[in-house]
Each structure stands twice: as C-alpha cells, then as structure tokens.
Amino acid sequence: MDSTAQIRSGMVAIVGPPNAGKSTLLNTLLGQKISIVTPKPQTTRNRILGVVSHSDYQIVLLDTPGLHTAREPLNREMVRIAMNSLTEVDAVLFLVDVSLPVPERTRSEREKEFAAWLEKIVSPAIMVLNKIDLVDRKELLPLIEGYAALYPFKAIVPVSAMNGDGCGELVTEILNLLPFGPRYFPEDMPTDASERFLAAEIIREKVFLKTGQEIPYATAVLIESYKEDDAKGLVTIHAAIVVEKDSQKGIIIGKGGKKLQSIGTAARREIEEMVGCRVLLKLWVKVRKNWSQDERFLKELGF
C-alpha cells in the first residue's frame, strides 16, 4: 500500500494513575501483547509504543508509566516520561479505574490531583472509564457526570480493556480527533520496541508474577547479550535480574534455585512465542545497592 496515501493517522498517549489498566488497553487495541501486565501498580517504567494499523487509519499509541506523587529518582523519571508524552501527541486518553471505591473524604483530593495533571494536557482528550465489567452499570452515570465537570473532554467512553467492551466505540472517538496524514509505520509493525527490550520486559513481568508480594519494585532486568543464530534457529539471551538487597536475591533464586528456574521457564516460553524460534535463556541475580536512586544506572536501563 502507498505509505504516502492520506489516512486518519496520529499519536495518542494513554495516561492516568497507576494500575488503571493502561497496558491492558494498549494490548487489547493492538490485538497482541507488547506491554507487560501485572496486578501491581507502576509496572510500566518506560514509554511503550504500539501501532494499530487498518486500511484507512493508523493509531500510534503510547503506553506511559502511571501518574503518581513521586519522590524517588526512578519514580520521578517515570512521571517525567508520562508528562512529556502529553506535549507531543494528537490526542490523549486519560484512563481511570471505575471499580476503585473513592470515599467522600478523599474524592476532592483525588479530583484535585487529576485536575493538576489534566491542566498540563494541550491536545484534545478523551476520558476512558475502565473496568466497567466490575461495577453496576447504574453507578456509571454519576461517575461520568463527575468526571465531565473536571475537564472539557471531547468524549467520555466506558470500556473494559480486559474483555474489549467499548473498545470499538473508543477507536471511533479517537479517529474523530486524528488528522489526515501519512502512515507512520509499516502495516505489519505493531511496535517500535526491539525484541531485546521486550525480552527484558517479559522477564521483569515474570519476576513480578512469580514472587507475589515478596519483592518490591527494586527489580530491574539488564540484557547482557542477545545473539541470534539463524542457521540453528536459536536466540541466546544472557540476562541479569538486578535487586537492591541480598535478601531480595534469595527470594528470587528460591530454595534450591527453584524460583529462578520457574521465572526462566515462563519467560523463555513467552519470548519463544514472540521471536518464533527456540530460545536459550540464561538468568542470574545481581545485587546493586539502591540502584533505583542511581541516576547513572537508570541511564544504563534506558531511562
């Protein structure tokens, strides 16, 4: 197809508080997983780009870290990445989790916090009320009215990113805001992230999922080597899981190395699915004291 043909195309940032379902929404709209999803908030650290291509439109979605009050260098960097995304896009999806009960005493605080973020938006914005499958539909109308009073949204769309409800309507509303222009990416390219980056994200997701509440957010993954051997149909990956304390290292390795083995097995299977060939994955755990406050190391991680 002629990439210079004019279609509806543009950049759309997905922003909102932690654990609102931004990564799930990105994956659902793409029809495949490129952004890691865990039950824990603040899982997304970098900006992940996903491309939704169709014969007459292309939506370039940016999944961003959750907006929150940040004190640590890592968290401040995550919020900076999210806020920067607001200045360079054609439209913004502001995503909230409607299943969270908001007590009256904290409602005004939450609205003030949202208002502070919303005033930094310069592009047309759509409010996306996510997780509607978890609430009674009768509760939605007052929520819509409350959020409508916060900001002049172009639309307010209730969705369930988990099961896809409302996502068709959301795409329609997004297209109403996008200009006519060229296709930014080839139609068969769902993301600009490298397989190396995605492999690190998959390993990090498995650490979150396999260690439950035991491991805090002080976990990073460094791909130390990534080699493709086309002749053998094999990708060999050496990766280090970096933690801040010796006690965390013990938890990830587990008794007799069993926990690390299960992390490796789950990650290898998913990476094999992504790359379409066999993967040899070698993992080890390193302790780097207070890495999340070390700005030089954060740069090494790609921030």
Side-chain angles (χ1 to χ4, degrees):
M1 182 175 283
D2 179 8
S3 62
T4 60
Q6 297 289 293
I7 55 168
R8 289 269 182 198
S9 66
M11 311 278 279
V12 179
I14 309 174
V15 298
N19 229 21
K22 295 181 290 294
S23 298
T24 304
L25 180 65
L26 174 72
N27 293 337
T28 298
L29 291 175
L30 277 178
Q32 70 182 88
K33 179 179 168 182
I34 63 159
S35 197
I36 67 173
V37 177
T38 80
K40 299 174 169 62
Q42 296 166 34
T43 307
T44 301
R45 288 181 182 162
N46 295 70
R47 195 174 68 172
I48 313 283
L49 182 147
V51 186
V52 181
S53 288
H54 191 271
S55 57
D56 53 2
Y57 65 79
Q58 187 171 75
I59 304 169
V60 181
L61 293 162
L62 306 174
D63 180 16
T64 61
L67 295 170
H68 60 286
T69 306
R71 294 178 182 86
E72 301 294 322
L74 171 63
N75 289 31
R76 284 203 305 271
E77 183 63 12
M78 284 158 61
V79 172
R80 186 190 68 74
I81 288 165
M83 294 312 296
N84 280 357
S85 298
L86 299 181
T87 62
E88 54 192 54
V89 292
D90 298 290
V92 171
L93 304 182
F94 192 87
L95 197 71
V96 293
D97 175 356
V98 293
S99 73
L100 288 177
V102 186
E104 276 307 320
R105 60 193 169 75
T106 59
R107 189 180 296 277
S108 63
E109 286 169 35
R110 193 177 183 205
E111 287 181 354
K112 269 185 211 149
E113 189 179 20
F114 281 7
W117 295 328
L118 289 164
E119 69 183 21
K120 294 184 169 67
I121 295 175
V122 292
S123 311
I126 296 170
M127 170 63 89
V128 184
L129 305 179
N130 190 26
K131 307 192 187 180
I132 57 168
D133 50 312
L134 302 179
V135 297
D136 188 323
R137 294 293 167 117
K138 292 198 290 286
E139 294 171 29
L140 281 178
L141 196 58
L143 277 170
I144 289 169
E145 287 168 355
Y147 285 122
L150 278 185
Y151 185 84
F153 292 106
K154 296 295 180 187
I156 297 179
V157 185
V159 305
S160 167
M162 185 63 78
N163 63 29
D165 277 3
C167 289
E169 292 89 326
L170 179 58
V171 167
T172 301
E173 293 294 351
I174 293 169
L175 294 176
N176 287 339
L177 301 180
L178 295 188
F180 284 96
R183 201 174 282 282
Y184 291 101
F185 293 94
E187 281 183 74
D188 59 352
M189 183 176 171
T191 180
D192 70 340
S194 68
E195 287 179 344
R196 184 187 183 111
F197 170 80
L198 293 173
E201 288 288 276
I202 288 167
I203 296 163
R204 193 163 64 88
E205 178 190 65
K206 302 315 174 198
V207 171
F208 273 125
L209 296 175
K210 297 282 184 184
T211 55
Q213 298 300 318
E214 302 160 284
I215 288 289
Y217 292 93
T219 308
V221 174
L222 266 182
I223 302 289
E224 301 198 328
S225 80
Y226 186 103
K227 290 183 181 148
E228 299 174 56
D229 186 333
D230 292 339
K232 290 182 182 168
L234 179 70
V235 173
T236 304
I237 303 168
H238 291 201
I241 297 168
V242 184
V243 293
E244 296 193 315
K245 297 176 186 167
D246 289 315
S247 58
Q248 295 164 352
K249 179 176 179 177
I251 289 167
I252 289 179
I253 291 171
K255 196 172 178 183
K258 285 225 164 70
K259 185 75 76 180
L260 185 61
Q261 193 178 351
S262 76
I263 290 166
T265 301
R268 177 181 54 74
R269 284 182 184 144
E270 194 164 317
I271 296 167
E272 283 181 337
E273 239 175 79
M274 173 180 76
V275 299
C277 68
R278 283 187 310 121
V279 169
L280 176 61
L281 176 62
K282 297 194 173 178
L283 292 179
W284 50 89
V285 187
K286 287 182 175 178
V287 177
R288 183 160 182 155
K289 304 272 192 251
N290 302 320
W291 70 260
S292 62
Q293 294 175 47
D294 178 346
E295 292 186 11
R296 207 167 63 197
F297 185 66
L298 292 177
K299 279 202 177 79
E300 211 178 313
L301 287 174
F303 286 102

